């Protein structure tokens, strides 16, 4: 449904991003590093990423990199732990192969009843991300297909100052045939700060990356999105012309905001023009870190 607030995971729930989706699937299949970029948050990057991952059908590890404060090693450990636990839960047909691959990592333990992942650094004290990447590559080799590492809001990793993720990406690019990266970035300039694509001294300089961009809907697309979501999917609920034009003019085609307003008006039943727009503004301020 167009007005669902959660990021989309099915093609039929995606509005008017068919060209971007085809481009993204092509990048995942054919290239080692694919980057979804957009200057604004709430422009549909997370939905596009999730749908493309489902369309391609490769096994993937999904990491939602949104730290609540200054990241510590414990925060990174928890991020990886959750990602590996989710990876195991989503891939029951190959769970034994995944467990075998992860068991080669000295600081990872797989528990049972219920199944869970523990990370214990012990004497190592520091995460060895390279060890994790090698284990994932071994898994892909055994499966005969790549494993995707999907990193949402990857610019947040630039705040982790004790690990050079740029160097790790370059190492994987050069040496690990069965590891691919799908990365989303929100902030303008992050490609220079995090991936450092234009820096001749950067580890990734000169290596090809496939780029896919998201943006705003046009005024006509915004109107169509709101009308289609209300009339076709929610039993003929109509927006007033006054509300439609004010939404289109004030929210400037950002699909995340349009989705939220549609949900408030159609699902929550908020009919007041000012109430809907004020609620959307408050929601936006609370969700600046999402896409």
């Amino acid at each position: 449904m167009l007005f669902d607030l959660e990021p989309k995971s099915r093609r039929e729930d995606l509005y008017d991003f068919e060209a971007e989706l085809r481009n993204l699937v092509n990048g995942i299949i054919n290239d080692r590093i694919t980057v979804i970029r957009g200057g604004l948050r709430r422009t549909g990057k997370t939905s596009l990423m999730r749908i493309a991952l489902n369309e391609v059908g490769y096994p993937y590890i999904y990491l939602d990199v949104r730290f609540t404060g200054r990241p510590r090693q414990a925060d990174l450990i928890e991020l990886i732990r959750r990602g590996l636990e989710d990876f195991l839960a989503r891939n029951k047909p190959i769970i034994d192969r995944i467990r075998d691959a992860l068991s080669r990592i000295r600081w990872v333990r797989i528990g049972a009843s219920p199944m869970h992942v523990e990370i214990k650094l012990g004497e190592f004290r520091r995460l060895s991300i390279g060890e994790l990447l090698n284990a994932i590559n071994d898994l892909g080799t055994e499966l005969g297909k790549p494993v995707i590492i999907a990193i949402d809001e990857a610019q947040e990793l630039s705040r982790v100052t004790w690990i050079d993720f740029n160097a790790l990406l370059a190492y994987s690019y050069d040496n690990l045939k069965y590891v691919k990266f799908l990365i989303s970035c929100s902030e303008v300039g992050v490609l220079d700060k995090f991936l450092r694509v234009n820096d001749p001294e950067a580890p990734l300089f000169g290596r090809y990356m496939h780029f896919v961009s998201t943006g705003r809907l046009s005024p006509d697309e915004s109107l169509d999105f709101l009308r289609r979501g209300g009339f076709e999917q929610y039993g003929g609920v109509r927006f007033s012309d006054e509300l439609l034009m004010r939404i289109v003019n004030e929210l400037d085609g950002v699909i995340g905001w349009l989705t939220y307003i549609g949900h408030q008006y159609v699902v929550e039943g908020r009919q007041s023009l000012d109430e809907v727009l004020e609620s959307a503004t408050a929601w936006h301020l609370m969700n600046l870190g999402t896409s």
Side-chain angles (χ1 to χ4, degrees), residues 160-181:
V160 179
T161 57
W162 62 91
I163 295 177
D164 188 344
F165 287 102
N166 203 273
L168 287 168
L169 286 170
Y171 168 76
S172 179
Y173 191 106
D174 291 342
N175 298 286
L176 305 181
K177 178 181 178 181
Y178 286 95
V179 176
K180 294 189 176 190
F181 287 89

Side-chain angles (χ1 to χ4, degrees), residues 65 151-158 183-186 190 194:
V65 187
I151 307 175
D152 204 359
E153 300 293 348
Q155 73 277 353
E156 294 292 313
L157 290 177
S158 64
I183 295 170
S184 85
C185 299
S186 289
V190 75
F194 177 57

Side-chain angles (χ1 to χ4, degrees), residues 34-88:
T34 302
V35 181
I36 310 172
R37 57 183 175 182
L40 290 171
R41 300 179 191 269
R42 308 303 307 176
T43 54
K45 294 183 299 301
T46 298
S47 294
L48 198 60
M49 171 183 278
R50 292 187 178 185
I51 294 170
L53 288 167
N54 289 334
E55 293 273 317
V56 170
Y58 294 152
Y60 66 88
I61 298 170
Y62 178 78
L63 302 174
D64 184 353
V65 187
R66 285 179 287 188
F67 300 115
T68 57
R70 189 175 186 86
R72 303 164 299 160
Q73 178 163 268
D75 299 316
L76 186 59
I77 288 172
E78 179 61 13
L79 174 72
I80 293 172
R81 190 197 66 77
R82 289 198 312 267
L84 294 178
E85 229 170 55
D86 172 69
F87 184 45
L88 283 160

Side-chain angles (χ1 to χ4, degrees), residues 99-113:
R99 292 179 66 169
D100 181 61
L102 295 181
S103 69
R104 302 169 202 169
I105 305 170
R106 292 171 294 174
W107 40 271
V108 171
R109 300 287 183 273
I110 310 296
S113 300

